[in-house]
Amino acid sequence: MNAQAADTPGTGRIVLLTTSHRVAPGVLSWPAWQTLHAADEVLCPDPAHPQLPYLREAGVAVETAAPTARELVDACAGDRTVVVVASGEGDQALTDGLARLAGSGRVAMPDLELLPGSYDLPGARLLDLVEVMDRIRRECPWSSRQTHQGLAKYAIEEAYELVEAIEDGDREELREELGDVLLQVVFHARIAEEADDEPFSLDDVAGGLVEKLIHRHPHVFGDATAETPEQVKEHWLRTKALEKQRTSVTDGIPLGQPGLALAAKLASRVRTAGMDVPPPSGEGVGYALLEMAARAEAEGVDPEAALRAAARAYRDTIRAAEGHDAG
């Protein structure tokens, strides 16, 4: 490092350049490139930093060095600009040392600037999730043996726990349960990469979803017009019917879902299609519940959610009778 005496006129400038490992190396902001090319000296404490080959290819002379805070201040003497390409860990020791020097009041400090060279885009942490899931799949004795069939029950459990968090109104619990549901998606997609027949990845899952969302929202991505939620639903159902090429309004309805939800879904399909198919008459509680579920759906009430709310109220009543708090 080309250090100069600390008493050289002009205190100079220290630029700590940070980059995100979630952005492809070499993709930097224009201010970052300008600063790098104009700097008197560019240092990087990490010889394996992924940006180094791209910086050197762009004509930036980078010296691999890990200066102390005092050495870095001295290197700025004479009004020089020194850029430090920070490591992924952030070089805490260096920043702490600079803070101590600045706080001592005994050192003429250069101007200090934190310059983000690249930023995480929304959703960037999903890249970390994919990386972590890949390593777990390869190295964890339990995760490496799991199959779609073996994990199926967890998808159901996590979905119910998510619903419970929504009903409880607990924001922290909601965030955690959304993560658990997301884990199921990422886990299944990682397993699918290993299939001998028709393998696919999380990118394929996301890509298919993007295409579906764009196609089913012509009022957002196309020339169609939809000004009400009802019109949006019409667009959605119409494009979905064309995609699936279904021969019955009942096609695609999972029969394994809870009974009230199943009854409401059937009634919704019938009503949306403009068909006049009343629920069948019969003896017993099942037919009575079917009729109630169809009536609730027609009135805009989710019978499954309504029954769950009533059941939770009943749970609270029972606990109160036992002398417990309602929660």
Side-chain angles (χ1 to χ4, degrees), residues 143-292:
S143 298
S144 62
R145 291 174 170 80
Q146 297 310 301
T147 64
H148 293 302
Q149 293 76 13
L151 291 175
K153 63 180 181 180
Y154 299 111
I156 297 173
E157 291 175 4
E158 299 299 353
Y160 276 120
E161 290 180 8
L162 172 59
V163 171
E164 185 172 354
I166 293 172
E167 293 175 345
D168 287 342
D170 187 327
R171 300 292 294 177
E172 182 65 22
E173 190 72 12
L174 174 60
R175 182 193 62 78
E176 181 177 347
E177 296 303 337
L178 284 169
D180 289 343
V181 171
L182 178 59
L183 170 60
Q184 299 306 308
V185 176
V186 176
F187 204 161
H188 280 282
R190 178 60 182 81
I191 294 173
E193 291 185 38
E194 303 169 5
D196 294 330
D197 298 324
E198 301 181 6
F200 60 83
S201 68
L202 185 63
D203 283 332
D204 298 316
V205 173
L209 178 57
V210 168
E211 292 179 6
K212 179 189 295 185
L213 289 174
I214 292 175
H215 188 232
R216 293 186 185 178
H217 289 78
H219 54 289
V220 175
F221 300 98
D223 299 328
T225 300
E227 299 179 354
T228 66
E230 291 74 21
Q231 291 174 333
V232 171
K233 188 173 183 180
E234 289 176 8
H235 280 311
W236 181 277
L237 293 175
R238 184 164 56 251
T239 55
K240 186 175 181 179
L242 292 173
E243 291 170 2
K244 302 295 184 179
Q245 298 182 343
R246 289 168 173 165
T247 58
S248 170
V249 297
T250 66
D251 289 347
I253 298 178
L255 299 180
Q257 63 183 301
L260 282 178
L262 172 60
K265 190 66 175 180
L266 289 167
S268 173
R269 288 283 184 90
V270 168
R271 181 177 56 80
T272 303
M275 301 174 65
D276 183 15
V277 184
S281 300
E283 296 294 331
V285 175
Y287 286 96
L289 290 173
L290 174 61
E291 183 179 354
M292 292 180 65

